[in-house]
Amino acid sequence: MKATVGTDIVDIERIRGSFARWGHKFVTRVLTPRENQYCRSKVNFLQSVAGKIATKEAVYKALYQLGVSGLSWKDIEVLDGPTKAPVAHLSSKALQICPDVEISISISHTETYAIAVAHVERR
């Protein structure tokens, strides 16, 4: 069994700039429909988007250390789990590439930054 860790921090102003330039086209490019729906339900929409992006990057970094590459933004979906804690779900494509991984994530944000940590274990 091998375990890896990935982390990422996102400047929410950068996300705000991308959103101002590209609008919802930017959001639909990086988020799944369910993630988009979740973020739209939040008062701090762009903070939620930034948290999702930071989490996806953290998961990518941890998976990359295990030799996994070639995943797209939508191959990782970050949603609330049964206890409302965030859970990272892999797409069917990602599961074919790395079927034997378990992912734990943590997300936090302030008004200016979103940060995420991912712990990935290969079973």
Side-chain angles (χ1 to χ4, degrees):
M1 188 178 327
K2 181 174 180 171
T4 59
V5 175
T7 187
D8 196 63
I9 187 167
V10 172
D11 182 342
I12 295 171
E13 279 304 310
R14 192 176 126 246
I15 300 303
R16 193 177 318 284
S18 296
F19 186 74
R21 183 172 182 192
W22 302 103
H24 284 286
K25 184 185 277 190
F26 164 71
V27 175
T28 58
R29 183 176 155 259
V30 298
L31 300 183
T32 67
R34 293 191 303 175
E35 289 172 322
N36 192 354
Q37 180 182 9
Y38 171 86
C39 290
R40 284 178 182 242
S41 74
K42 298 299 177 185
V43 172
N44 298 315
F45 169 72
L46 292 177
Q47 287 176 346
S48 293
V49 171
K52 302 287 187 204
I53 291 171
T55 304
K56 290 174 184 237
E57 283 289 335
V59 172
Y60 290 139
K61 289 174 182 178
L63 288 172
Y64 187 77
Q65 293 175 61
L66 294 175
V68 177
S69 61
L71 300 180
S72 73
W73 283 105
K74 294 183 181 179
D75 286 324
I76 298 169
E77 184 177 56
V78 180
L79 299 170
D80 282 352
T83 64
K84 298 293 183 189
V87 177
H89 302 277
L90 298 179
S91 69
S92 56
K93 171 190 165 186
L95 285 171
Q96 287 178 342
I97 295 170
C98 51
D100 58 346
V101 297
E102 186 174 311
I103 302 170
S104 300
I105 57 175
S106 181
I107 311 167
S108 188
H109 60 74
T110 66
E111 289 184 22
T112 53
Y113 294 100
I115 188 167
V117 175
H119 177 265
V120 176
E121 274 190 56
R122 176 169 271 156
R123 294 179 238 133

